[in-house]
Amino acid sequence: MGHEPDNQSHGGMVTLYTPLNYSYARIIRQAIVDLCVHAGMSEFKTAQFEMAVDEASSLIFSAQERSAPEIRDAALPGELSVRLYQDGDQVVVELCHGGEPLEMGESASPENWFGEDDLEATGLFVIRRFVDGLSYQRGTPLGHCLRMSKKK
Amino acid sequence: MKECVIHREEHGHLDILHLDGSLDAYSFPRLEAALNQLRETNRNRVVLDCAGLDYISSAALGALIGFARRAREQNGDLKLAKLSPKIFNIVELLGFHKILEIHNEVDQAVKSFVG
C-alpha cells in the first residue's frame, strides 16, 4: 500500500473472529504476514511465523473436528479469536478458541513424518521450531488460549 | 495468497507437477488427490515444480515424504525443484533437505532421474 514498514510499536492490536473452520486459515495467515511486514520483520522470519500460526490454527480446527458432534454442532461464528500485536521487539499472536482443548504433547521431527499420520505431532514440531515463546492456557474467560511470539 | 492449482505434465516415464498458489490445510486434499492418482497408475517418478508455490503446510510436506518413501521402494522418487528462497529456508530449517532431493531447476531434477 505504498507505506514503509513501521518499526515502532504504537500499542495497536488487530483482532479477528472466525468460525472454527479450515477455510478461514488463509485469512489468519494473511493477517499475520501483514502484521509482521508492518513490524519490519524479515521475509524469512515472517514465513516461519506464518507457518507456525497456520499449524496452530490447523490443530485447533482439527481438534474441533474430532470433538463430540454436539460440541461441533454448537460451533458458532466467533469461536476462534485471533489477537495480533507488537510487544517491544516481538510480534505476538494469541489464538483463543472454544470446543476441545489441544493436547500439547510430543512433537515429531521430519524423519518420523509419514504421509498424513500424526499431524498433531508434526504441527507441534513446526510451532516449537519457529516461535520464540509459546504457552497454552485452558479454560480462560476467552476460551483455551495459545500464545505465540517471535522476535523481529 | 491463492488457491493451489496443480498442473500435471507427463514427461516420458516421469511426471512433473507444477504447483501454483498455497498448499495449506484447506487446499492440501488437491495435492493428496494428485499423488494418489499417480500412485494408483504406478507413476512413481515425480518432479514438483515449486516455482509458483507461495506456502506449504506440514501436512503437505508429510504427504510428499510419504509419497517419496513409497516411490523409492519401487525405484522411483519425488524431487523438488525451483523452491523460492523463503520456502527453501523453511524446508532447510525443518530438516527436509536431508529427506527430499531438492534441485534449483526442473531440468536438473528431470535429468537426475536418468543419471
Side-chain angles (χ1 to χ4, degrees):
Chain A
M1 286 185 268
H3 295 292
E4 290 298 313
D6 179 356
N7 295 324
Q8 304 299 312
S9 171
H10 298 293
M13 178 182 286
V14 176
T15 306
L16 305 171
Y17 296 96
T18 80
L20 287 170
N21 188 293
Y22 286 113
S23 61
Y24 287 83
R26 192 163 301 160
I27 295 170
I28 298 169
R29 277 177 40 223
Q30 186 65 65
I32 186 63
V33 168
D34 287 348
L35 181 68
C36 289
V37 170
H38 185 270
M41 190 179 273
S42 73
E43 183 189 18
F44 287 172
K45 284 193 170 188
T46 296
Q48 293 161 20
F49 204 28
E50 174 191 10
M51 188 173 190
V53 174
D54 187 54
E55 296 293 333
S57 307
S58 294
L59 290 182
I60 291 168
F61 298 146
S62 170
Q64 181 69 7
E65 276 187 343
R66 284 195 315 272
S67 63
E70 63 273 17
I71 295 175
R72 191 164 57 231
D73 291 345
L76 297 169
E79 269 210 310
L80 175 65
S81 73
V82 185
R83 293 197 293 172
L84 316 162
Y85 56 95
Q86 270 185 260
D87 182 11
D89 67 343
Q90 58 185 359
V91 175
V92 180
V93 177
E94 292 173 3
L95 301 172
C96 296
H97 64 99
E100 288 293 296
L102 298 179
E103 295 297 333
M104 302 292 284
E106 296 291 314
S107 44
S109 61
E111 292 80 9
N112 301 315
W113 292 14
F114 193 84
E116 53 282 356
D117 297 343
D118 209 4
L119 292 180
E120 282 191 12
T122 59
L124 285 170
F125 176 81
V126 172
I127 294 167
R128 287 173 175 143
R129 183 76 182 83
F130 286 154
V131 303
D132 296 313
L134 176 67
S135 66
Y136 187 60
Q137 273 192 296
R138 296 180 179 209
T140 78
L142 294 171
H144 314 299
C145 292
L146 181 66
R147 183 182 191 276
M148 294 171 286
S149 61
K150 190 167 184 69
K151 290 179 183 166
K152 289 193 276 179
Chain B
M1 291 180 190
K2 56 182 179 180
E3 294 275 336
C4 191
V5 176
I6 301 175
H7 170 66
R8 177 182 165 191
E9 177 190 348
E10 282 198 18
H11 198 282
H13 292 298
L14 64 85
D15 293 86
I16 302 172
L17 294 183
H18 302 277
L19 306 179
D20 190 22
S22 295
L23 269 176
D24 54 19
Y26 191 59
S27 56
F28 159 69
R30 291 182 189 178
L31 173 69
E32 210 173 23
L35 294 176
N36 284 340
Q37 190 182 15
L38 291 171
R39 197 176 289 140
E40 285 162 9
T41 52
N42 291 320
R43 305 280 298 183
N44 55 26
R45 293 180 162 203
V46 179
V47 172
L48 244 59
D49 172 9
C50 302
L53 186 67
D54 62 30
Y55 179 79
I56 187 162
S57 68
S58 70
L61 285 167
L64 299 184
I65 289 180
F67 185 93
R69 285 182 174 153
R70 291 189 192 101
R72 286 168 190 166
E73 290 169 2
Q74 299 168 348
N75 294 321
D77 204 350
L78 179 144
K79 305 182 183 191
L80 308 181
K82 290 189 81 72
L83 293 173
S84 69
K86 75 170 185 180
I87 293 187
F88 182 78
N89 175 258
I90 293 272
V91 164
E92 193 175 32
L93 287 174
L94 291 175
F96 277 94
H97 60 301
K98 299 173 190 165
I99 305 169
L100 295 173
E101 203 173 302
I102 299 172
H103 294 267
N104 289 333
E105 300 296 334
V106 171
D107 285 352
Q108 286 175 0
V110 169
K111 284 176 186 166
S112 72
F113 274 110
V114 179

